Amino acid sequence: MKFNGRSRFIGIAPFLLALAALAAAPCAASAEDWPQYRKDDSRSGISGDPLPAPLKEIWKLHPPVAPQPAWELEAKADKYSKIYDLTPRQTFDYAHHPVIAGGRVFYGSTSQDKVECLQASDGKRLWVFFTEGPVRFAPVVVGDRVYFGSDDGHVYCLEASSGKLIWKQRPVEQPDRRQPGNERMISAWPIRTGLIVREGMVYGSAGVFPSQGVWAVALKAGDGQVAWRSPVELTTLQGYGLASPGKLYLPAGRNNPVIFERSSGKLERIVEGAGGTWALLAGDQLVFGPGRKGELGNVEPGRSDQLATFSGLHMIVHQGSSYLHSRTQLSALDRTLYLKLASERRTIQAQHSAATERLKKLGKTPPADQARQLRETITSTGAQIDALTRRMGECTKWQVNCDNPYDLIAAGDLLITGGDNRIQAFAMSDGALRWTQPVNGKAYALAAAGGRLLVGTDKGTIHCFGDAR
Amino acid sequence: MNMTPNFLSRAFRSLALPALACGLICAAAATAFGQAKETPRVDHWVFDEASLKNGVLTPAQGGQTAAILGQIRFSDDMGGAMMFDGVETTAQVGADITKVKLPESALTIEAWVRIDRAGKWGGIFSALQDNGDYEKGLLLGLHDSHFCFGLAAQSSTQITYLQSKSSYEPGSWHHVAGVYDGTEMRIYVDGVLNGSSDAQKGKIVYPPDGWVMLGAYRDKDEYYKLHGELREVKLTHRALSQQEITEAFKLRANMIPEGLILDAGPFIQLSKPSNATVTWRTQVPAARADLLLRPSRPKNLVQFGKHEDRMTYLYGHPPKSHTVELDSLDPNQIYTMTLYGPLQPDGPRSKARYEFDSSLNYAQEPGPAVAQPFGKQAVPDLFRHAEFPKQLRTDAGYALLLGAGDGRGAFAMARVSKLRVIAVEPDAAIADNARQLLDSVGYHGMRVSVWDKPLTGLPLGPYAMNLIVCESAIRDGKPVLKLEEIAKALRPEGGIALLSGAADDAGAMAKLKEWAAPLAAGQTGYSLQSIEIAGRSYLKITRGRMPGAGWWTHQYGQADNASTSGDKLITGSELDLLWWGRPGARPMPDRGARNPAPLAAGGRLYIQGDRILFGQDAYNGTILWSMIVPELRRTNLPRCSANMAADDDSLFIAARHWAARIDGDTGKIDPDKDIFLVPTPAEGNRKYEWGYLAREGKLLIGSSVRAGSFYMGDDGEWYDTPGAEDVGRITSDELFAYHKDAPRLAWRHRKGVILNSTITIADGVIYFIESRSELAAKATSGRLLKEVSDKQFMVALDAATGAPKWEKPVNLPGFDRMTYLSFTNMTLTVVGSSAKEYSIKAYDAGAGSDLWNTKFPISKDHHGGAIQHPVLLGDAIYCEQRAYDLRTGKLLRTDLPERRGCGTMSASASTFFYRHHHHGLWDLNTNKRLEFQGIRSGCWLGILPAGGVVLAPETSSGCSCTHSIQTSAAFVPRKAK
């Protein structure tokens, strides 16, 4: 059979189009999957699948060695600033974060230097792939491919069904060098961001210390070739990355996240805030923290400053509401109204600050008229700020005590919280406690898909809960 | 808030009140007193377990409950008391002061309290607001080391803080009472009147809003939490008489436990991940040792372990030294440990209580205890033989196994040591098989990493390997390794390589020797040796000290205080990271708090955290040992001397009245041999603690400081501007020397009162400045300022004998903020500063003759800019941003690097290190400056150029700003071999 050029094109086109569509999807996972950290590359943490009730532990995996996080807790206190009990800002690897795709569970290990694939139904190991350093971030599963980075300095791409290596790539130009880092013999340029796979590209970073070299990188998902490499000065890049249609957001350890243009790698800006590696994209708004005191900041697109801060460690944004999770409480907030009021307050605050500054510049004996006018502005804007602040305080829909500070996700109509030796579920509608399940350790890593709930703890245990019937 | 000693100057302001007002007030007070006599209201809170339910304290009297905030813990002191941690725990009577029934005209506020840690301010009972210009309300609390009673009444717009004349004893129980009768304030401590003031008159004036707190000082601006214990607080709406106060004290005085004074310790060695070994020495032999251990969170008690919380050991022959092994500790817990003194026939036993945080235990997890997966005869002979571990200087660190095969050697190596093994196997399939086998028993990863790479060209940085093993180093009659790679990877100061050919290759050793011979040719620091283990010959390559390496054995480099290590290997400005990791910010004091610098000697780095010590491999960062020493704390080094010194084998530390020698490799202390006590006898109430500490030849040099003088800096104090001229110096009454290998005194010297920051040792001579003023001699405290500014002498003693060599009177005006003495090239320099300028005076060290002096303006009067310690290097002294010729005083340059932070500089033979925005470097030869972005040090000396590398332990801890990385790290010149 002979093909002319046209007929050949026609024959291949549907396949190419399908491939392109697959590559363009944020992740090629089914609705029942949780194929990467917090479900998607916005890190929404929301599974549409309801969890069955009652839940039962179907299986658990308890590795012989507990996870070995890169960074320990923060200092006990900033006594100079009178801040005690500082919130840890880098907890991304305090547990092994499981992901679920195609009936399989995948996780990376910080203590056993491997990625494992388990059968979701019974926890049976299907394959294991070893690296030469800790794997600190959850793999990303796209179709039959698994992507992850390692402290050995490589980004890996495996076949999801078999665990066979498709490619591995050191994304930096420097010759490989291994040295003791975080108590392990690792690359001088470890992969310290959770990867993003989008539109045929793999995004991440390499390096920890700016003086040694830190780069945001984009690799071609097909063969691992470096598409771009963007150097970062002044800060590290560590934490789970996020992506929007045009931007790449990379957390920066204790520092504030850095925003890049996704197509070129151009560094746009470092946002303002109190630092932290937990981040969420709520539409086009970046939410990140937890800063020094357990606060999440909300940054609007195109800006660096924070429109609002929320007292909390984690957040779920769903249908106009924010579900906030602090060390001791869980609450629901009318997010739409709150941000609208916050925006108004910022405008008024700017007027208030400008008037205050102008009055100050007039000196001790200002012209009476000018001073009076400015004082009136200060007084009236002050009153407006107070009124808006009061209204913002009224945006809370409900608030309940919740002593489970380690993680928060949503599954169906439930909010699942990770605590000390337990997980608890609360109703999204009113915050009512629905159930409690014991787990082994601090539940830092929650994932839900297809009626299953996976829980990773600081002791390394991965629990799988499912239908008790 | 400002306050002058005893009671406030502001208290006198009310004396100017018009007579009419005074008359009205006195009348009001009289009325109030009369009312109080009829039905005085009493609120009485007893902080025992029986009074607490669901986090709320039910009062014994008065009906006003108190909500307990934060962690709840009780001790058995005084019949039951609540422990306040200074961080979380407080008790809130009300968040709205207007809803709490408070006395109007007269009152007595009493408490049984134990203060464990002093703060600038603290509260036992507070209902106040103090903005400086708005002061109202009531306080019973503490200020520095004194109790205070604060009150604002109608006669004044400000609070009078009446301070007790005597200071409280940390860790001891006191009864404290504040009394106000409408005309006079009185403060009583332990039933005795301790101060009074008539500055306030009339009704008490409270702020319109605010909190009423127990165990805290809280207003809108400040929140100081008590670190100690409360047994009870009693608020009576009447002024009690002296007799009533005395009776109240006597009621419980017989329950006060006597504080147990130890000869030394305790030392809590964190030996295994969930274990701790506690060692202490009692002053007299004790027939039993009792230890009580309680976790801070009782809900976790179930995790506490298999042993009981109280341990008692009975001895046949009463010893002074005691050691208790604690096992099954919860890894993330604050424990309270109580040590008890001898049994008493009547009354309570003496005891001492300490806290320790088990989350700071960095001991390495052992590999899982599993059967090995390689079959019965699998383990290579080398690793099975008892001789193998003996070859290692320590059993922790990194090992490189070249030719890993199926991983059995790596497995065996990991089983018999704490080494992290890098097992290299060129064959990918064999390597993968090794990984599978090791993973099946939980050894892959943390303990063994398998690299499928060729045996040469490995991507290894320098100095990391404590051990390299290759049992197939000769193949087909030829060496398969590259000598320069092995040499570079070996850790200096004791790293070894064990190399052999095949077991049946008789000529292998000769070939290996020939191959390795260039390593040992000349002064290279390497040595070669043939050894035999399990009937097989190995070439042992040992890497010793790198020629040109210098170490940092004392606070400012050496005991000469020149702030240089003399290291000649750290040159140029091209540095790479060598290692990074623990310790991080968690165990460190807030921003370093101008506490003792880390030290480095013999290949080890010693770091003093907040009452915790770490011994670390300087070349690969491995934590060799860690030890909590609850009494080890010292800050404000610009006015003091350090409490650590090191030599090639040992670290010496000082706390309270003792010093201890710690084995550098293991962290072990032999309490019978390694403890040195301050020899100066107590004189009445004046007791002595160990001040200065240095290692000089075969001697350990120390000094005696009046007890209670040291700065602890627990509340974030910086002793910087403002008021830097008023910060007292820590002084010593006696210098002495012990033989360092045995606690036997060599000599003692006592004449004047010595400024600790000036004690300098060089070339066998001890130099210092002392004051021979009577005021200094008679003062109760060893924290002196004006008392020691008079009749000053510079003294030189023979360090070996303590015999005087020379002395001369010195006049040092303008040295208000600090006085540093340093030595280099037979030149002594004294550096100090006043509010406006630095002063430098130089003397010839041979006889003390004057050389030159100069002054220059300070350029930065904050962040330590006016208290910089100098660096003496070569023929120059570098101070702040200037350099002068050491012998002539000629100004050499004024372009030293600007420093943004509050630290002080350190130097190798040619490169300076300091804190700027980040870790900063200045190459003296090229004048090049650079910074290591994203990481920075703390507020005094935290970067050590030593041993051919730059050691930068984490010292920025507590700073909650967003610099990216808080970690300990080391750097190495790029050209390092």
Side-chain angles (χ1 to χ4, degrees), chain B residues 419-751:
Chain B
L419 291 164
R420 298 185 194 280
V421 183
I422 309 301
V424 182
E425 173 51 50
D427 185 304
I430 294 174
D432 196 52
N433 181 49
R435 288 169 176 151
Q436 299 277 359
L437 286 167
L438 290 164
D439 187 56
S440 70
V441 290
Y443 271 70
H444 183 266
M446 285 290 293
R447 300 306 317 279
V448 181
S449 185
V450 180
W451 295 2
D452 56 341
K453 297 185 191 307
L455 300 186
T456 58
L458 289 170
L460 281 170
Y463 307 159
M465 295 299 164
N466 300 79
L467 172 68
I468 298 175
V469 174
C470 182
E471 292 193 300
S472 54
I474 299 286
R475 269 195 204 143
D476 301 327
K478 292 179 182 171
V480 299
L481 307 177
K482 286 190 176 167
L483 185 61
E484 63 273 21
E485 289 181 7
I486 300 294
K488 185 177 178 181
L490 269 182
R491 171 198 187 270
E493 306 275 350
I496 63 164
L498 296 174
L499 309 177
S500 70
D504 55 356
D505 184 352
M509 180 53 63
K511 286 171 188 143
L512 280 170
K513 277 185 178 174
E514 183 188 349
W515 168 75
L519 264 191
Q523 299 295 313
T524 61
Y526 295 89
S527 61
L528 308 179
Q529 187 187 358
S530 298
I531 62 168
E532 204 158 286
I533 301 176
R536 189 165 174 176
S537 296
Y538 291 88
L539 175 67
K540 180 179 176 184
I541 304 173
T542 303
R543 186 168 194 180
R545 181 157 298 175
M546 290 191 287
W551 291 100
W552 201 277
T553 58
H554 291 75
Q555 171 68 24
Y556 298 110
Q558 320 298 320
D560 62 5
N561 295 334
S563 277
T564 62
S565 62
D567 188 285
K568 296 183 178 68
L569 299 172
I570 303 160
T571 58
S573 53
E574 291 193 322
L575 297 181
D576 283 327
L577 268 166
L578 181 67
W579 58 260
W580 78 84
R582 288 171 167 173
R586 190 77 173 166
M588 297 308 183
D590 189 12
R591 293 165 172 84
R594 297 200 173 113
N595 65 328
L599 304 179
R604 292 177 227 91
L605 169 63
Y606 302 108
I607 303 170
Q608 185 176 157
D610 181 8
R611 298 170 171 87
I612 187 169
L613 280 171
F614 298 98
Q616 195 163 11
D617 191 317
Y619 291 105
N620 58 34
T622 302
I623 305 269
L624 301 171
W625 52 267
S626 53
M627 182 160 64
I628 293 168
V629 188
E631 303 285 10
L632 190 71
R633 174 86 182 181
R634 196 175 285 188
T635 59
N636 198 6
L637 266 286
R639 282 86 177 194
C640 190
S641 55
N643 56 3
M644 294 207 300
D647 62 20
D648 278 352
D649 304 313
S650 308
L651 173 70
F652 298 87
I653 61 167
R656 293 284 178 149
H657 54 272
W658 50 262
R661 191 195 76 83
I662 301 172
D663 182 81
D665 282 330
T666 64
K668 291 211 162 62
I669 296 173
D670 182 337
D672 292 320
K673 296 178 183 169
D674 294 336
I675 303 297
F676 306 83
L677 300 177
V678 167
T680 315
E683 298 160 7
N685 288 331
R686 183 186 283 179
K687 296 172 185 167
Y688 285 98
E689 295 180 335
W690 195 298
Y692 178 78
L693 181 68
R695 223 274 290 134
E696 164 65 15
K698 292 182 177 177
L699 298 178
L700 187 68
I701 312 291
S703 77
S704 307
V705 172
R706 295 165 201 173
S709 301
F710 290 109
Y711 293 92
M712 306 301 270
D714 277 309
D715 207 30
E717 304 96 318
W718 302 99
Y719 316 105
D720 212 329
T721 49
E725 295 81 29
D726 302 322
V727 181
R729 317 291 175 75
I730 301 302
T731 60
S732 294
D733 286 357
E734 183 171 15
L735 265 180
F736 53 86
Y738 271 102
H739 295 278
K740 81 176 178 77
D741 296 322
R744 190 160 45 84
L745 272 168
W747 55 258
R748 296 168 66 176
H749 165 87
R750 185 166 190 174
K751 198 162 186 180

Side-chain angles (χ1 to χ4, degrees), chain A residues 64-66 68-69 71-86 89-90 110-114 116 125 128 130-133 154 168 176-190 192 208-212 232-236 238 252-256 273-275 292 327 403 420-421 442 459, chain B residues 86-88 117 223-225 299 303 332 334 357 360 362 365 368 398 420 422 432 435-436 439 441-442 444-446 449-453 459-461 464-465 575-587 590-591 610 619-620 633 714-716 718 918 931-935 957-967 969:
Chain A
V65 194
Q68 299 293 315
W71 307 107
E72 59 188 358
L73 297 172
E74 296 260 339
K76 290 188 173 175
D78 176 351
K79 293 180 178 174
Y80 184 77
S81 307
K82 305 284 181 239
I83 302 173
Y84 296 89
D85 207 6
L86 294 167
R89 285 180 268 197
Q90 304 180 99
T110 53
S111 51
Q112 293 183 275
D113 302 3
K114 64 182 179 182
E116 250 188 7
R125 184 203 268 190
V128 60
F130 297 102
T131 70
E132 293 176 359
H154 290 83
K168 70 174 188 177
D176 194 4
R177 190 171 83 240
R178 311 286 174 94
Q179 59 195 35
N182 298 120
E183 293 68 62
R184 299 296 307 279
M185 187 63 70
I186 62 172
S187 168
W189 300 278
R192 283 286 173 91
V208 172
F209 293 83
S211 298
Q212 206 71 18
V232 178
E233 293 179 352
L234 297 173
T235 190
T236 187
Q238 295 190 80
R254 298 177 73 250
N255 209 333
N256 299 310
R292 304 184 294 180
R327 289 185 198 188
D403 186 16
D420 220 334
N421 293 309
K442 295 181 169 74
K459 293 190 176 173
Chain B
V87 177
E88 290 183 346
R117 201 170 287 177
Y223 197 175
Y224 299 104
K225 293 167 187 170
K299 68 178 181 180
Q303 297 177 13
N332 190 21
I334 307 287
D357 182 349
L360 303 178
Y362 293 160
E365 291 279 350
Y398 289 87
R420 298 185 194 280
I422 309 301
D432 196 52
R435 288 169 176 151
Q436 299 277 359
D439 187 56
V441 290
H444 183 266
M446 285 290 293
S449 185
V450 180
W451 295 2
D452 56 341
K453 297 185 191 307
L460 281 170
M465 295 299 164
L575 297 181
D576 283 327
L577 268 166
L578 181 67
W579 58 260
W580 78 84
R582 288 171 167 173
R586 190 77 173 166
D590 189 12
R591 293 165 172 84
D610 181 8
Y619 291 105
N620 58 34
R633 174 86 182 181
D714 277 309
D715 207 30
W718 302 99
H918 310 278
E931 291 189 74
F932 298 93
Q933 292 159 355
I935 180 170
S957 168
C959 178
S960 49
C961 54
T962 52
H963 63 279
S964 305
I965 307 159
Q966 277 189 324
T967 186

